[in-house]
Amino acid sequence: MNFPIEILRWRLVAAATAFLSLLLGGCATGLQFNSQDSQGKAEPPPPTEMITEQLIAAEKQASGRPAEQDLSRLMVPNPPPYAIGRGDILSIVVWDHPELAGGGMTAATAAADASGMSASVNANAPQPGFVVDHLGRIQFPFAGLLPVEGLTEEAARALLTQKLARYIANPNITLRVQSYRSKRVYIDGEVKQPGLQAINDIPMTLVEALNRAGGLLPTADQSRIAVERGDARYRVNLRDLVQKGINPGNIMLAPGDVVRVHSRDESKVFVSGEVVTPRALTMHDGRLTLNEALGETGGISPLSGDARQIYVVRKTPERTRVFQLDARLAGSLAMAESFELRPKDVVYVAASPLANWNRQLSLLFPGALTNAVGVTNRQ
């Protein structure tokens, strides 16, 4: 008979259950940190901050301050006209005096250039015209060395007219920039045509630079556009600007600026633990709420998840912060929708005490619960 053997199995399962209950009685089922400093000493775990309406309001206020300060330095509502710089090539025509064209620049050449025919000329090939030298000057017949750096086309034309008026009665002069080579910006990242963009008579705003680069790619993150100017670095969030009613066309680029459009893949949030489908999520133009992150992963697992223990782990330059949400409380879903995640955040849903007990029992006594269920079925 197998009856005594079955009784023995039941007693073993009961003893194992009692032993495991004592073992797990003092164990925490939530998120635990075991960290050490450089000397090998155990460091205290970071404090857990409960997600409340007050905490959400404080986080929004803290995250909104730096962007406003940076953007105020980039805004130029009324950009000045283009100023001639070193390396630019000027097209100068003195009407009725073709002998003053110089450098192969004739009235016919100027007319053809005005019609747009010179657009196909290779930029590296020598072009007719008057090149502004390294000292910001051009050399013109009768006028000699003429300083034009920093002048607009109108101001340079008036200066040249004043010089030639000593030799020519009522000179009629056409002066304009034929080739813009003194000022450039660099566009990099998630755009169709990255590279150098020359600043011309059209104001080089951020929107203009992105359009000249072919526009943003579908993988571009509109909330993470970096403008590097010298040692300063500014972060531009196009989405927030539009929502606040600020025209992005007022962001004026300066010569030498570097614009980098970051990819959405760089702004991921990781969801793990007791959810239906743990995975990495891509933020939507820099925005992803805790509620959206849980929804896109299928929600909390109904079999093993603990709705009381939803954690968000965030690494900051100062310290590691741990936020906790108790989804059983009234208004928790509204707070989860208002709590905005940041890139590289880790969302973790802890297992319920029953799920932890089942897993520990399976590790210590493999097949014990299965044998117990089999005995019950045979009875």
Side-chain angles (χ1 to χ4, degrees), residues 343-365:
K344 308 302 180 182
D345 277 359
V346 177
V347 179
Y348 178 80
V349 179
S352 64
L354 181 60
N356 279 326
W357 178 84
N358 185 15
R359 291 169 183 172
Q360 294 294 337
L361 183 61
S362 299
L363 290 175
L364 293 177
F365 304 98

Side-chain angles (χ1 to χ4, degrees), residues 65-130:
R65 290 175 182 171
E68 295 177 358
Q69 297 175 355
D70 292 342
L71 292 182
S72 62
R73 305 175 184 177
L74 300 178
M75 294 292 180
V76 182
N78 299 315
Y82 181 82
I84 298 173
R86 303 176 185 180
D88 287 343
I89 300 179
L90 304 183
S91 168
I92 302 176
V93 175
V94 182
W95 296 97
D96 297 330
H97 293 275
E99 70 279 4
L100 300 180
M105 176 60 64
T106 62
T109 306
D113 183 65
S115 64
M117 293 177 60
S118 64
S120 60
V121 178
N122 189 350
N124 296 326
Q127 300 183 25
F130 299 87

Side-chain angles (χ1 to χ4, degrees), residues 288-364:
L288 187 68
T289 64
L290 178 57
N291 195 25
E292 292 173 341
L294 293 175
E296 293 188 21
T297 54
I300 303 174
S301 174
L303 300 178
S304 58
D306 188 354
R308 300 171 302 176
Q309 301 185 81
I310 302 175
Y311 298 95
V312 177
V313 182
R314 177 175 299 165
K315 182 67 175 180
T316 63
E318 299 81 13
R319 58 190 175 90
T320 299
R321 302 183 65 184
V322 180
F323 306 94
Q324 181 180 356
L325 176 69
D326 188 349
R328 302 179 310 168
L329 301 177
S332 60
L333 295 180
M335 288 188 292
E337 180 61 27
S338 301
F339 187 83
E340 295 191 2
L341 302 175
R342 296 182 183 178
K344 308 302 180 182
D345 277 359
V346 177
V347 179
Y348 178 80
V349 179
S352 64
L354 181 60
N356 279 326
W357 178 84
N358 185 15
R359 291 169 183 172
Q360 294 294 337
L361 183 61
S362 299
L363 290 175
L364 293 177

